[in-house]
């Protein structure tokens, strides 16, 4: 039966020839999967040694991919080997068979497969080499040991195999040829190494036809490597090949030579025909194993010292066992990125820090209002609530602030919320409106202070400038950010960058121990006030290379210690040692003195036998001078009056000092005049200091030595100023330092007599100190013959006759007294304050209260002036801020004593003349500008421009202490201005009104900020007493009514002004 044709067939459709044929994309999927695995392995590889174990697993997972089993993945070496063994074709291909049509290359899969294979093999080979480098660094293995390490050699062979597979996929990578050559050289395969280098430089043009330049740095480096290898072999035929012409005619620049070796951590046996083998038998070698706990120079020195103390000086080879040493660049980056040590952040709470009611300014009610405002942030904004909450902010209970930033970035959430409030008011306008009452009160008070000071005839430029700066700042809403005076900036930073330890210096109530003779000698040392500023010693720089040098070589313990000291000596002038480092150096130089001294002598003999001896000789010269100076430092410390070191130790140290002195003198005599003058000056200074420490040396001889040294230092064209940051007794070598030593010697008798005299004879203390501390108040009487009556200082009381002429002591002072004045200029504030205190106590013991009050004022003047002197201004932040707190503590004590005397002693101002009064007013006015900084800071916190740096109890106590000091300072300034107004009645026609208005201005400034009750309400009590003495003044009822209300809560109801609620706890009437 014949089949029937289909009923219908479309004529516009062509039937498919192979309807079941589909395009196979599995290979592309395998390539994508392999690339993903490669990226995972590469990412772990790049993260460093800590992830190497994970990277190894990832690489193994990569090579399990399907693409590595494809026929196209086989290398030419594998195919050639199979062809040679007859395994090239499968048996089923031997018969006739119709080959299938090749699959089309969709998305470039055929072209991406070789690149994927190339990247996988190349990076896996590099991973093997990175693993070798890491193990070498961790285990501190030397180069020759690597050649015998089977595991390392196996890893290197694996890397070479991976490189060869990668080069099969892409033979145009010249840098990879270089790396393969270097690994082959490590495996002692000179033939393979040479083949790879030749392949690297013959990638493109044929040099036999035309001479060409290397097209890349990699080929240039390869040519340099090949040239060196051929020269080792003396292969002149190969060197004459045209391919080598560019490398023979030209050389690699010096800056690039360090990049010639691509793998410098691997030893290269091909550099020499002599095999790299250990020169000693490791099995029979006696080693001195030094265990170091931490990777630092000081810990290495301690370990070396501990080993020699336990085992003595042995001749075995030293091997240092030390933890992994971080790279120097990593250290620097860590120091830069490390955040500054800050106080622990405290979570803001609803309650303010726990302080006493008398010391706490803010009340729980205010804190509740603050927290209510904070909770309102979650509610929809209402303009009325915003305006009603502006003036109820508290300065307590705020969270910690970070580093100081721009004021606009420090605003609180409420301030930022005001910018979107419905009332449309500008946030700056609101801030200015809130700050305006405080700024207006400040401007009024400081302007009044300046006007009264000018009317009193005060012309001190510094005082008028500082008062003017505070007045001008009242026009700015960011007052604290525009401070420029160093004391004011430091006081601001102490609040915005609060440090608990610094604040405790001011808050501690422990009385300072009185200065005795030993303390005086410490303060008068030439380094007690001027510390050399040098960066700290870097504890890890060059340590890794030092350890590698020791472990790779053969050094005994003495050689290692000598090398360690040489490194420390190289940083003796350029960096500041830590206390641990200084202690370690001293202990090593003392314990191993003999070995170090003999090793130094050997180094001198060796330097005389080499051709270029200058670098070695200079290094030894510096080492000897450092040893001389350090032994001087040691000897001075163990021979001072407070030392308890036994006699034998002193004699032993003296003998060591004499040996280094003799060696340093020998080198100084042999040193040419054209060489470094600083070493000669240091030797002269050390020699004079050694004479000073010599027992039995006459003072006049020592004094002449210092004067000769000062003259010698002044003869140089360039100013000699050598800083020795690691030597306590001689931190500076200069003419000024020599002057200080001369002043100390010439004034020693005076201070010895002063400290040996007790207050049982206060008159002698007064006669000794008054011409020294206050020469303007001392006069001498000169007869017509020109001779001064009295002692050399001219301060004995004599009967004045008509033939005698009264002259100030500054004109007739002896040289000894002038030396005392000069000496005091360079001493510390604490020592000069002690002398003023001793003089005041002497006046107090004879009942001369007004002179004691004068001493208090002079002390305040001195400290205020010290804020503008170089010892304070030139100090680093680490030393200046604690010094600032120490000076504030001195001022706090003096303000209490001076104010108590001014208010309670009716004769306090009897001997305070016009000049003395002007200088005291100027100093206290400057101090008022400094102490006003906390008020500016609290104003900005109060309006929400910034937040407190801390809400700890210490911070609140610190703020309260500053408020108390401010209140006492304004009170003392009023008493001084009152005395000035009384002495200049012609300038002030209404003195009572002037005084009352000034008291009201101070009251306004303190009352607005709600701390005029500070310091036991001393200002309010003083103001009440002053107002009760005055009646015929304007606004008397308003002034007195506010004072009585603040003190006792009484409302008189007679004034025209509304009483200001100061939120005080009123005293019972």
């Amino acid at each position: 039966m014949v089949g029937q044709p289909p009923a219908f067939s479309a004529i516009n459709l062509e039937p498919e020839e192979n309807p079941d044929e589909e395009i196979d994309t599995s290979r592309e999927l395998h390539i994508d999967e392999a690339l993903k695995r490669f990226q995972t392995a590469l990412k772990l590889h790049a993260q460093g040694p800590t992830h190497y174990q994970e990277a190894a697993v990832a690489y193994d997972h990569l090579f399990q991919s399907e693409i590595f089993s494809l026929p196209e993945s086989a290398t030419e070496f594998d195919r050639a080997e199979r062809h040679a063994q007859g395994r090239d074709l499968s048996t089923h291909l031997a018969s006739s068979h119709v080959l299938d049509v090749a699959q089309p290359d969709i998305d470039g899969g055929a072209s991406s497969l070789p690149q994927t294979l190339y990247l996988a093999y190349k990076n896996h080979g590099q991973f093997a080499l990175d693993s070798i480098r890491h193990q070498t660094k961790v285990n501190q293995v030397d180069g020759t040991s690597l050649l015998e390490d089977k595991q390392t050699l196996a890893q290197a062979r694996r890397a070479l195999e991976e490189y060869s597979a990668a080069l099969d996929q892409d033979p145009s990578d010249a840098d990879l040829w270089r790396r393969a050559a270097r690994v082959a050289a490590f495996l002692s395969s000179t033939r393979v190494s040479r083949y790879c280098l030749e392949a690297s430089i013959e990638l493109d043009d044929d040099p036999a036809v035309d001479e060409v330049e290397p097209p890349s740095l990699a080929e240039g480096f390869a040519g340099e490597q090949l040239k060196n290898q051929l020269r080792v072999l003396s292969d002149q035929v190969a060197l004459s090949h045209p391919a080598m012409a560019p490398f023979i005619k030209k050389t690699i620049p010096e800056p690039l030579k360090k990049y010639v070796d691509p793998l410098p951590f691997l030893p290269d046996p091909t550099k020499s025909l002599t095999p790299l083998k250990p020169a000693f038998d490791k099995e029979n070698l006696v080693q001195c194993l030094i265990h170091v706990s931490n990777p630092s120079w000081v810990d290495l020195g301690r370990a070396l010292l501990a080993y020699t103390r336990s085992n003595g000086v042995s001749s075995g080879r030293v091997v240092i066992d030390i933890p992994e040493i971080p790279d120097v660049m990593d250290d620097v980056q860590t120091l830069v990125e490390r955040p500054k040590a800050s106080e622990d952040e405290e979570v803001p709470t609803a309650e303010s820090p726990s302080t006493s009611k008398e010391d706490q300014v803010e009340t729980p009610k205010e804190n509740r209002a603050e927290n209510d405002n904070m909770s309102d942030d979650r509610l929809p904004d209402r303009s009325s609530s915003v305006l009603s909450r502006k003036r109820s902010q508290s300065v307590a209970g705020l969270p910690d602030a970070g580093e100081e930033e721009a004021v606009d970035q420090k605003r609180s959430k409420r301030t930022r919320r005001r910018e979107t409030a419905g009332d449309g008011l500008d946030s700056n306008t609101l801030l200015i409106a809130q700050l305006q009452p405080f700024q207006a009160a400040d401007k009024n008070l400081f302007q009044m202070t300046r006007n009264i000071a000018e009317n009193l005839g005060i012309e001190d430029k510094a005082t008028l400038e500082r008062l003017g700066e505070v007045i001008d700042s009242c026009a700015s809403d960011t007052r604290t950010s525009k401070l420029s005076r160093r004391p004011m900036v430091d006081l601001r930073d102490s609040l915005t960058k609060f440090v608990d330890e610094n604040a405790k210096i001011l808050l501690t109530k422990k009385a300072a121990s009185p200065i005795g003779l030993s303390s005086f000698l410490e303060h008068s040392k030439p380094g007690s006030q001027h510390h050399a500023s040098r960066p700290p010693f870097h504890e890890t720089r060059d340590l890794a290379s030092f350890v590698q040098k020791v472990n790779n070589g053969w050094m005994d313990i003495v050689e290692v210690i000598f090398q360690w000291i040489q490194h420390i000596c190289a940083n003796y002038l350029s960096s500041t040692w830590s206390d641990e480092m200084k202690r370690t150096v001293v202990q090593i130089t003392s314990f191993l003195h003999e070995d170090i001294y003999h090793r130094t002598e050997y180094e001198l003999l060796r330097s005389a036998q080499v051709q270029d001896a200058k670098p070695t000789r200079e290094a030894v010269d510096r080492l000897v001078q450092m040893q001389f100076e350090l032994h001087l430092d040691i000897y001075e410390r163990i021979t001072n009056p407070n030392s308890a070191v036994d006699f034998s130790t002193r004699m032993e140290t003296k003998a060591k000092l004499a040996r280094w002195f003799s060696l340093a003198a020998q080198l100084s005599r042999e040193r040419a005049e054209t060489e470094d003058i600083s070493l000669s000056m240091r030797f002269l200074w050390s020699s004079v200091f050694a004479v000073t420490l010599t027992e039995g040396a006459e003072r006049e001889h020592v004094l002449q030595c210092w004067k000769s040294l000062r003259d010698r230092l002044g003869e140089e064209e360039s100013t000699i100023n050598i800083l020795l940051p690691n030597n306590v007794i001689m931190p500076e070598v200069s003419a000024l330092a020599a002057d200080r030593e001369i002043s100390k010697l010439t004034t020693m008798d005076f201070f010895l007599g002063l400290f040996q005299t007790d207050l049982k004879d206060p008159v002698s203390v007064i006669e000794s100190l008054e011409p020294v501390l206050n020469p303007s108040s001392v006069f001498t009487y000169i007869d017509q013959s020109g001779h001064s009556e009295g002692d050399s200082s001219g301060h004995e009381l004599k009967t004045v006759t008509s033939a005698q002429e009264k002259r100030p002591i500054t004109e007739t002072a002896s040289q000894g007294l002038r030396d005392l004045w000069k000496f005091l200029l360079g001493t510390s504030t604490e020592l000069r304050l002690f002398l003023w205190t001793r003089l005041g106590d002497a006046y107090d013991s004879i009942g001369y209260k007004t002179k004691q009050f004068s001493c208090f004022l002079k002390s305040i003047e001195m400290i205020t002036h010290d804020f503008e002197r170089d010892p304070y201004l030139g100090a680093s932040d680490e030393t200046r801020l604690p010094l600032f707190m120490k000076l504030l503590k001195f001022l706090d004590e003096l303000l209490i004593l001076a104010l108590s005397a001014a208010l309670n002693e009716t004769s306090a101002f009897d001997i305070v003349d016009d000049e003395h009064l002007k200088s005291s007013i100027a100093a206290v006015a400057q101090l008022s500008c400094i102490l006003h900084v906390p008020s500016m800071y609290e104003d900005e916190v109060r309006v929400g421009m910034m937040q407190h740096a801390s809400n700890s109890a210490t911070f609140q106590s610190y703020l309260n202490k500053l408020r108390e000091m401010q209140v006492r300072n304004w009170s003392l300034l009023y008493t001084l201005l009152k005395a000035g107004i009384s002495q200049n009645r012609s300038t002030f026609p209404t003195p009572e009104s002037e005084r009352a208005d000034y008291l009201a201005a101070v009251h306004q400034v303190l009352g607005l900020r709600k701390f005029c009750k500070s310091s036991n309400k001393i200002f309010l009590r003083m103001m009440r007493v002053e107002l009760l003495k005055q009646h015929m003044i304007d606004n008397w009822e308003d002034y007195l009514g506010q004072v009585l209300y603040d003190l006792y809560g009484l409302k008189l109801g007679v004034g025209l002004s509304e009483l200001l609620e100061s939120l005080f706890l009123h005293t019972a009437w």
Side-chain angles (χ1 to χ4, degrees):
M1 180 177 180
V2 180
Q4 296 293 331
F8 175 78
S9 177
I11 64 176
N12 60 343
L13 296 178
E14 296 181 0
E16 296 180 0
E17 297 180 358
N18 297 313
D20 297 331
E21 181 180 359
E22 295 181 1
I23 298 176
D24 186 9
T25 61
S26 60
R27 184 171 62 175
E28 285 72 22
L29 295 177
H30 292 327
I31 294 174
D32 292 340
E33 180 64 25
L35 285 175
K36 292 180 182 179
R37 296 182 181 182
F38 169 72
Q39 292 174 357
T40 302
L42 187 62
K43 181 179 179 181
L44 293 171
H45 181 187
Q47 291 179 0
T50 56
H51 296 270
Y52 276 3
Q53 188 173 1
E54 300 174 21
V57 176
Y59 274 117
D60 292 340
H61 188 52
L62 167 63
F63 286 103
Q64 294 173 4
S65 301
E66 295 293 336
I67 64 170
F68 293 97
S69 60
L70 295 175
E72 297 90 339
S73 301
T75 64
E76 290 292 339
F77 311 113
D78 294 335
R79 285 194 284 270
E81 185 177 357
R82 287 199 298 267
H83 178 72
Q85 297 177 358
R87 297 184 289 108
D88 191 29
L89 297 176
S90 303
T91 55
H92 71 280
L93 295 178
S95 60
S96 59
H97 187 77
V98 178
L99 298 179
D100 294 335
V101 178
Q103 299 289 342
D105 183 16
I106 305 299
D107 297 332
S111 61
S112 62
L113 177 61
Q115 186 70 10
T116 304
L117 297 173
Y118 163 75
L119 293 175
Y121 287 126
K122 177 181 177 181
N123 285 277
H124 192 215
Q126 185 61 40
F127 174 70
L129 296 178
D130 288 343
S131 300
I132 294 175
R133 176 167 51 188
H134 175 63
Q135 294 298 327
T136 303
K137 186 176 181 180
V138 171
N139 300 329
Q140 299 295 334
V141 182
D142 57 4
T144 55
S145 300
L146 285 177
L147 296 173
E148 301 177 355
D149 189 358
K150 295 181 180 180
Q151 182 180 359
T152 302
L153 294 176
Q155 285 181 302
R157 292 191 188 95
R158 178 65 182 274
L160 185 58
E161 292 173 359
E162 301 289 356
Y163 280 169
S164 64
L167 288 169
D168 180 73
Q169 303 296 332
D170 184 9
S172 64
D173 191 342
D175 186 69
L176 190 57
W177 281 111
R178 292 177 60 235
R179 292 178 175 271
R182 187 64 179 82
V183 177
F186 168 68
L187 295 173
S188 301
S189 179
T190 309
R191 182 178 179 183
V192 175
S193 175
R194 179 172 176 175
Y195 170 80
C196 293
L197 292 176
E198 290 175 349
S200 177
I201 66 174
E202 295 178 357
L203 295 177
D204 300 317
D205 301 326
D206 185 3
V209 177
D210 187 18
E211 181 178 332
V212 295
E213 295 291 336
S216 66
L217 274 177
E219 293 186 28
F221 290 148
E224 187 72 13
Q225 290 177 268
L226 180 59
K227 179 181 68 174
N228 296 334
Q229 185 173 350
L230 294 177
R231 284 179 175 175
V232 170
L233 299 174
S234 299
D235 193 345
Q236 300 300 327
V237 176
L239 287 172
S240 63
H241 192 275
M244 297 301 299
F247 312 107
I248 300 298
K249 295 178 181 179
K250 299 179 181 180
T251 59
I252 296 289
E254 286 296 332
L256 296 179
K257 284 188 176 180
K258 60 182 179 180
Y259 301 108
V260 171
D261 190 350
L263 304 173
F265 60 92
L266 291 178
D268 187 0
T270 63
K271 285 186 176 181
S272 173
L273 297 178
T274 305
L276 285 178
K277 294 296 180 181
F280 45 82
D281 187 2
K282 290 189 175 182
E283 296 180 357
N284 299 326
L285 178 66
V286 177
Q287 291 186 349
C288 304
L289 187 59
I290 308 296
H291 295 281
V292 183
S293 57
N294 296 316
S296 66
W297 284 101
V298 63
D299 286 287
L300 176 58
R302 288 176 177 174
L304 293 171
L305 179 63
Y307 184 88
T308 54
R309 283 178 171 172
S310 302
N311 304 285
V313 178
S314 60
S315 59
R317 173 176 175 263
V318 172
V319 176
I320 299 176
D321 178 21
I322 191 170
E324 184 175 0
I325 304 171
D327 295 334
V328 174
M329 293 301 297
D330 295 339
D331 292 346
V332 175
Q333 185 177 5
T334 303
L335 292 173
V336 172
E337 297 176 352
R338 183 180 303 156
K340 295 182 178 179
S342 58
E343 306 300 319
D344 294 337
E345 294 186 357
E346 301 183 22
V347 180
T349 59
E351 298 179 359
S352 59
S354 57
T355 55
S356 64
K357 292 183 179 181
E358 286 295 323
D359 294 335
Q360 187 65 30
V361 174
E362 319 307 332
T363 62
K365 181 178 179 180
E366 288 178 305
N367 287 326
R368 287 194 298 272
E370 173 72 14
N371 291 316
D372 290 342
N373 294 339
M374 295 174 63
S375 63
D376 287 343
D377 290 342
R378 298 187 295 270
L379 301 177
D381 291 343
R382 294 175 297 175
S383 60
S384 59
S385 63
V386 171
L387 294 175
S388 65
R389 288 196 301 268
K390 285 194 300 181
R391 298 186 181 275
S392 64
Q393 295 188 16
S394 171
V395 299
L398 295 177
D400 290 346
E403 292 293 327
E404 183 178 7
E405 300 173 354
V407 174
D408 293 340
Q409 298 175 356
K410 281 195 166 185
R411 296 176 182 172
S412 64
K413 290 182 179 179
R414 287 177 291 133
T415 303
R416 295 194 299 268
R417 183 164 53 83
R418 293 191 187 109
E419 296 178 358
T420 59
D423 57 359
L425 291 177
D426 184 74
S427 61
N428 290 332
T429 304
L430 293 174
L431 291 175
I432 295 174
Q434 293 178 80
L435 289 175
Q436 194 276 333
F438 305 106
Q439 295 177 346
D442 292 347
K443 183 176 182 180
N444 178 48
L445 174 58
F446 282 94
Q447 187 63 55
M448 290 182 65
T449 304
R450 182 173 182 176
N451 293 339
I452 296 176
E454 291 177 343
N455 292 335
L456 290 175
I458 296 176
E459 300 177 353
D460 184 62
K461 183 179 179 181
T463 302
L464 299 180
E465 285 181 352
R466 280 149 185 74
L467 291 172
E469 290 171 359
V470 177
I471 295 171
D472 295 339
S473 70
C474 295
S476 172
D477 58 345
T478 57
R479 301 171 73 182
T480 58
S481 63
K482 296 182 178 179
L483 298 175
S484 58
R485 303 286 180 180
R486 174 50 59 189
M488 302 176 75
V489 172
D490 285 343
L491 187 54
R492 178 201 64 193
D493 291 345
S494 70
L495 294 166
T496 58
K497 304 174 184 178
F498 181 70
V499 178
D500 192 84
E501 290 75 12
N502 291 341
K504 288 180 179 179
I505 298 176
L506 175 62
L507 297 176
T508 181
K509 297 181 180 180
K510 182 177 66 174
S513 57
I515 295 182
L517 178 59
S518 59
S519 301
F520 159 73
L521 294 175
E522 183 67 25
H523 280 278
S524 62
K525 282 183 179 179
S528 58
Q529 188 81 353
H530 308 275
H531 295 281
S533 178
R534 286 289 185 272
F537 175 76
H538 201 293
E539 287 289 351
T540 57
R541 181 176 288 122
D542 298 330
L543 180 60
S545 59
F546 180 83
V547 173
Q548 185 177 7
K549 176 183 176 182
V550 173
N551 291 341
N552 289 350
W554 204 105
M555 298 184 186
D556 60 8
I557 190 70
V558 175
E559 180 65 21
V560 174
I561 290 176
F562 185 78
Q563 298 281 351
W564 183 87
I565 290 179
Q566 278 192 319
H567 175 82
I568 303 302
C569 175
N571 297 273
Y572 177 63
L573 299 180
S574 59
S575 61
T576 303
W577 298 342
S578 62
D579 293 339
E580 293 78 8
M581 175 60 76
K582 178 67 177 293
R583 190 179 304 109
T584 303
V585 172
V586 169
Q587 291 176 349
I588 288 179
T589 54
S590 299
F591 185 75
L592 297 171
H593 169 263
E594 288 288 337
D595 301 284
I596 296 173
Y597 185 82
H598 292 310
R599 181 63 179 79
T600 305
E601 288 183 323
Y602 168 77
E603 198 71 14
L604 284 174
L605 294 175
R606 191 177 68 86
S607 65
Q609 299 173 359
V610 298
Q611 293 181 352
D612 189 11
K614 186 176 180 180
T616 305
R617 183 59 178 263
E618 290 178 352
V620 177
D621 208 347
R622 289 192 297 267
L623 175 62
V624 171
Q625 182 60 34
M626 183 193 76
Q627 290 288 346
F628 181 26
E629 293 168 357
L630 288 179
H631 279 79
L632 266 177
D633 194 355
I634 298 171
Y635 185 69
E636 193 277 338
R637 285 177 173 271
I638 67 173
T639 56
N640 64 52
N642 296 328
S643 176
V645 178
D646 57 85
F647 179 76
S648 60
T649 303
R650 295 188 182 192
M651 290 299 99
E652 182 182 357
T653 306
K654 184 178 180 180
K656 296 176 183 177
L657 173 61
R659 295 183 72 178
W660 288 110
F661 191 178
S662 176
L663 186 57
Q666 173 188 342
L667 296 178
S668 179
R669 289 191 297 268
E670 297 174 356
R671 189 182 304 121
E673 295 182 0
T674 58
E675 294 184 6
D676 188 9
I677 192 65
S678 63
L679 273 177
S680 300
M681 294 298 102
R682 287 168 58 189
F683 172 73
L684 289 177
W685 187 282
S686 304
S687 302
V688 174
F689 213 102
V691 173
T692 305
L693 296 178
T694 304
E695 296 180 7
E698 295 183 2
R699 179 173 299 182
E700 187 62 28
H701 172 67
V702 176
L703 185 60
Q704 290 302 322
C705 290
W706 282 110
K707 289 181 178 180
S708 299
L709 176 59
R710 179 191 59 187
D711 297 340
R712 177 66 182 86
L713 290 169
E715 291 175 358
E716 296 297 325
E717 295 181 0
S718 59
T719 303
I720 300 295
N721 187 17
I722 305 171
L723 299 181
L724 306 175
N726 302 303
N727 198 298
V728 176
I729 64 169
M730 44 181 296
E732 180 184 358
V733 176
S734 65
L736 292 177
D739 271 335
R740 289 195 293 268
E741 289 296 321
I742 294 172
S743 298
K744 186 177 75 171
L745 288 172
T746 55
T747 58
M748 186 62 66
D749 290 336
F750 169 79
F751 285 101
L752 286 175
L754 177 66
F755 284 104
Q756 292 173 359
T757 304
D758 54 18
L759 289 180
K760 294 179 180 178
D761 188 11
V763 176
S764 63
V765 175
I766 295 172
E767 290 180 348
S768 300
L769 287 178
E770 189 71 32
V772 176
L773 298 176
N774 195 19
S776 61
S777 64
V778 180
F779 294 86
T780 58
Y781 297 95
I782 308 298
D783 57 19
Q784 293 180 350
S785 61
H787 298 288
S788 173
E789 293 192 5
D791 60 359
S792 60
S793 299
H795 51 263
E796 283 191 359
L797 300 178
K798 294 290 181 180
T799 303
V800 182
T801 64
S802 59
Q804 291 177 329
E805 178 187 358
K806 181 180 179 182
R807 298 176 62 181
I809 197 173
T810 53
E811 299 179 5
T812 62
S814 63
Q815 185 60 43
L817 186 56
R818 295 181 186 277
D819 290 338
L820 283 171
W821 293 339
K822 186 177 181 180
F823 172 75
L824 287 179
L825 290 177
T827 57
S828 65
T829 304
E830 188 174 2
L831 176 60
R832 286 178 283 125
L833 181 60
F834 163 75
L835 298 177
W836 275 111
T837 303
R838 194 165 180 82
L839 179 60
D841 293 342
Y843 279 122
D844 179 58
S845 64
I846 63 174
Y848 205 173
K849 298 295 184 181
T850 179
K851 283 294 292 184
Q852 186 184 25
F853 175 64
S854 175
C855 292
F856 295 152
L857 295 179
K858 289 289 185 181
S859 300
I860 295 175
E861 294 177 32
M862 178 194 68
I863 297 177
T864 306
H865 293 160
D866 282 354
F867 280 134
E868 307 297 331
R869 294 181 60 195
D870 184 61
Y872 168 75
L873 297 178
S876 61
D877 292 342
E878 293 77 9
T879 58
R880 189 184 65 253
L881 295 179
L883 176 61
F884 178 73
M885 290 298 168
K886 195 173 183 179
L887 295 179
L888 279 185
K889 182 174 179 61
F890 293 153
L891 284 172
D892 182 40
E893 298 170 354
L894 289 170
L895 286 175
I896 296 175
L897 296 173
L899 182 59
S900 177
L903 296 178
N904 300 324
E905 298 293 337
T906 56
S907 61
F909 291 92
D910 285 355
I911 57 95
V912 179
D913 58 9
D914 187 57
E915 291 299 325
H916 185 358
L917 189 62
K918 290 179 181 179
S919 62
S920 297
I921 291 175
V924 178
Q926 290 186 45
L927 186 57
S928 67
C929 298
I930 298 174
L931 294 177
H932 197 66
V933 171
S935 295
M936 302 179 189
Y937 162 79
E938 289 191 272
D939 293 343
E940 296 179 3
V941 173
R942 188 176 289 108
V943 301
M945 293 174 60
M946 64 172 63
Q947 295 177 338
H948 279 313
S950 174
N951 57 357
S952 63
T954 304
F955 182 77
Q956 290 298 326
S957 300
Y958 178 57
L959 273 179
N960 289 329
K961 173 61 72 173
L962 294 177
R963 298 184 190 116
E964 291 176 354
M965 292 183 64
Q966 189 176 356
V967 170
R968 295 179 191 127
N969 189 74
W970 283 119
S971 302
L972 178 60
L973 182 57
Y974 169 76
T975 61
L976 296 174
L977 294 176
K978 175 184 175 182
I981 294 173
S982 301
Q983 295 178 10
N984 297 270
R985 292 185 176 274
S986 59
T987 310
F988 301 92
T990 56
E992 291 187 350
S993 296
E994 293 279 355
R995 299 200 303 268
D997 291 342
Y998 191 80
L999 285 171
V1002 176
H1003 192 191
Q1004 180 76 1
V1005 168
L1006 302 180
L1008 281 176
R1009 296 176 172 93
K1010 301 178 175 58
F1011 66 84
C1012 59
K1013 58 100 177 188
S1014 296
S1015 188
N1016 197 24
K1017 302 183 181 180
I1018 185 64
F1019 173 77
L1020 295 175
R1021 300 176 192 276
M1022 179 190 71
M1023 186 174 179
R1024 177 180 63 85
V1025 173
E1026 290 293 318
L1027 290 177
L1028 291 177
K1029 296 178 183 178
Q1030 305 167 4
H1031 302 286
M1032 306 302 294
I1033 58 174
D1034 297 334
N1035 301 322
W1036 181 84
E1037 294 85 357
D1038 295 333
Y1039 297 161
L1040 184 62
Q1042 184 67 56
V1043 171
L1044 294 179
Y1045 180 71
D1046 291 342
L1047 275 173
Y1048 311 113
L1050 295 177
K1051 296 184 179 181
L1052 299 181
V1054 294
L1056 300 178
S1057 304
E1058 183 180 356
L1059 293 176
L1060 176 66
E1061 180 62 49
S1062 50
L1063 299 177
F1064 294 159
L1065 295 175
H1066 304 294
T1067 303
W1069 179 257

